Amino acid sequence: MLPEERRLSILNAAKEMFAINGYHDTSISDIIKRADIARGTFYLYFKDKREIFDALFDQLLQKINESLMRVTIAPDQKPPLDQIAENLHRIFQLAMNDPELARILFRHAPGLDSITDQKIEGFYNKIASLVEGALVLGEKMNIVKKGDFKLISIFITGGVKEIMDRITRPENHMPQIDKIIKELIDFNLQGLASGTADIVQTQE
Amino acid sequence: MLPEERRLSILNAAKEMFAINGYHDTSISDIIKRADIARGTFYLYFKDKREIFDALFDQLLQKINESLMRVTIAPDQKPPLDQIAENLHRIFQLAMNDPELARILFRHAPGLDSITDQKIEGFYNKIASLVEGALVLGEKMNIVKKGDFKLISIFITGGVKEIMDRITRPENHMPQIDKIIKELIDFNLQGLASGTADIVQTQE
DNA sequence: AGATAATTAGACTGACATGTCAGTCTAATG
DNA sequence: CATTAGACTGACATGTCAGTCTAATTATCT
């Protein structure tokens, strides 16, 4: 087996084990057993369990990063809303294409250690600021009304995270991706309030 | 020291260590050092590290559970929106009162093991169904328009989670709780769309 | 084919965390 | 003063697992 093949097969075995048992409950022995290699072989390709986890994790973050485009206005660009829909489509699709890898991000990476936590935090901050940028742009274009965009972008990021978490579970009961995106965009734009009644009630 | 005091002081030491280093990177030795007790004493009060974690974790879940009330319509009840605002206020306040405990839920509990994951999943499912119930009620009252309430309630739950995560961080840069709640309710009701322009653009 | 290099197997070692248990200490009681 | 209850101690036995090492095997080159 070629070195590159071997490396990938080890990565894959580790990914499967992490997805099943989590990082801490996966031993090197588990990984080499699944990859069907000897103990020493593992150390020819990776320094330790942590390095193989980082390789998987960084690979996912990079893929998500690549699939998120900043929303801009330009003659050759589609309308902003379409750009947003396409962003959502790409990350949802990415997650569904490799649910095991995605579950590492949602279930097993948080709380691993402070370095990983910082990576995750920086990553979500980046996404939130991307959303915020889109909102600011929308306000400039007069299609989005004023608001605490920082707060709202955090809220939206959390919502999208939760949806992604759900669609990458083994028992995924969520609707089709396009259906989800339509519904989310509608909700985020129009809100919940029925147009027929004024329901804002202030207290005290 | 009275047994009950001792128990609490051990719980507290463990909580602090978990918050600092996480569950896996906290050893029994770390806990007893911080609690300033001997090794044997720990085992007089807890079976193992897992039992002390569960005690902390279950305590938090129960507190959150207690502070969430189902939104209902009744003569002696405040308006639904006020009930929702009060629910949000209670859980935000709860989290801020003991941020270390809250961070265990957000950072350290997920991915610990399948039992804990199930607890977390069931817990968030319950919250989401609570939100969903409120939306269904709102639709019956004609103040909420139709939509995929299951999906939207998941989205909202994720958003609230993310906000709670942020306000319980050591470096909390979020606005005041009441400000957050106002902004969230407004966003969820009215959405982002400026009233002055029709921005719905469908693609293809 | 024979020599040499690369790769692999898996037994082994050392570090470390857990949980136990025989014994100590303190304060209350007889 | 003697005894007892029970909270507390910490040395130690046990188990686990990461990472190393050597011998065997396989592949590559001359």
Side-chain angles (χ1 to χ4, degrees), chain A residues 25-191:
Chain A
D25 291 341
T26 296
S27 64
I28 305 275
S29 301
D30 292 332
I31 297 173
I32 64 178
K33 202 182 293 174
R34 181 165 272 247
D36 202 31
I37 55 167
R39 198 164 189 78
T41 311
F42 178 90
Y43 290 97
L44 292 176
Y45 290 90
F46 298 97
K47 191 173 124 290
D48 51 22
K49 189 171 71 163
R50 182 50 199 266
E51 186 174 287
I52 203 170
F53 180 86
D54 283 347
L56 288 167
F57 185 58
D58 293 344
Q59 171 195 336
L60 175 65
L61 289 196
Q62 201 198 331
K63 275 188 189 168
I64 299 182
N65 255 325
E66 285 166 1
S67 64
L68 285 176
M69 315 280 187
R70 186 163 289 281
V71 176
T72 57
I73 307 272
D76 58 339
Q77 287 284 328
K78 293 189 180 171
L81 260 188
D82 288 355
Q83 293 180 45
I84 291 171
E86 285 170 4
N87 270 335
L88 285 173
H89 193 94
R90 277 189 298 266
I91 57 168
F92 285 161
Q93 199 62 59
L94 187 69
M96 286 198 74
N97 284 346
D98 197 344
E100 284 174 339
L101 190 54
R103 297 221 61 65
I104 289 179
L105 172 61
F106 293 119
R107 271 287 108 88
H108 305 302
L112 230 190
D113 61 27
S114 60
I115 295 179
T116 305
D117 279 350
Q118 277 171 6
K119 272 190 206 170
I120 298 175
E121 188 180 327
F123 175 67
Y124 285 133
N125 279 340
K126 210 190 135 186
I127 294 185
S129 84
L130 213 101
V131 174
E132 193 186 343
L135 297 184
V136 170
L137 181 69
E139 195 207 342
K140 280 206 193 100
M141 294 173 65
N142 232 25
I143 53 181
V144 168
K145 64 166 179 278
K146 276 190 180 6
D148 184 339
F149 291 153
K150 196 147 268 160
L151 180 75
I152 293 173
S153 63
I154 290 173
F155 184 86
I156 292 175
T157 302
V160 172
K161 255 169 78 174
E162 189 73 19
I163 303 283
M164 286 183 75
D165 189 336
R166 299 290 182 134
I167 63 177
T168 56
R169 289 190 191 164
E171 8 66 72
N172 168 18
H173 298 310
M174 303 290 280
Q176 288 300 305
I177 287 184
D178 289 321
K179 180 79 175 48
I180 293 177
I181 294 176
K182 268 209 181 71
E183 196 74 34
L184 287 187
I185 288 185
D186 186 59
F187 165 68
N188 277 280
L189 285 180
Q190 306 300 334

Side-chain angles (χ1 to χ4, degrees), chain A residues 24-25 78-79 81-82 86 107-108 110-112 117 121 125 135 142-145 147-148 151-152 154-156 158-163 166 169 171 174-175 180 183-184 187-194 196-197 199 201 203, chain B residues 24-25 78-79 81-82 86 107-108 110-112 117 121 125 135 142-145 147-148 151-152 154-156 158-163 166 169 171 174-175 180 183-184 187-194 196-197 199 201 203:
Chain A
H24 286 288
D25 291 341
K78 293 189 180 171
L81 260 188
D82 288 355
E86 285 170 4
R107 271 287 108 88
H108 305 302
L112 230 190
D117 279 350
E121 188 180 327
N125 279 340
L135 297 184
N142 232 25
I143 53 181
V144 168
K145 64 166 179 278
D148 184 339
L151 180 75
I152 293 173
I154 290 173
F155 184 86
I156 292 175
V160 172
K161 255 169 78 174
E162 189 73 19
I163 303 283
R166 299 290 182 134
R169 289 190 191 164
E171 8 66 72
M174 303 290 280
I180 293 177
E183 196 74 34
L184 287 187
F187 165 68
N188 277 280
L189 285 180
Q190 306 300 334
L192 293 164
S194 141
T196 63
I199 56 166
Q201 302 156 322
Q203 168 191 4
Chain B
H24 286 288
D25 292 341
K78 294 188 179 173
L81 261 188
D82 288 354
E86 285 170 3
R107 272 286 108 88
H108 305 302
L112 230 191
D117 279 351
E121 187 181 326
N125 279 341
L135 296 184
N142 231 25
I143 52 182
V144 168
K145 63 166 179 279
D148 184 339
L151 180 75
I152 293 173
I154 290 173
F155 184 87
I156 292 175
V160 172
K161 256 169 78 173
E162 188 72 20
I163 303 282
R166 301 288 182 134
R169 289 189 190 164
E171 7 66 72
M174 302 291 281
I180 293 177
E183 197 74 33
L184 288 187
F187 166 68
N188 278 279
L189 285 179
Q190 307 300 334
L192 293 164
S194 141
T196 63
I199 55 165
Q201 303 156 321
Q203 167 191 6

Side-chain angles (χ1 to χ4, degrees), chain B residues 7 11 18 45-46 48-62 101 104 119:
Chain B
R7 194 186 130 87
L11 269 174
F18 289 152
Y45 290 89
F46 299 97
D48 51 22
K49 189 172 73 165
R50 181 51 198 263
E51 185 173 288
I52 202 171
F53 180 86
D54 283 346
L56 289 168
F57 185 57
D58 294 343
Q59 170 195 336
L60 175 64
L61 289 196
Q62 201 199 329
L101 190 54
I104 289 179
K119 270 191 207 170

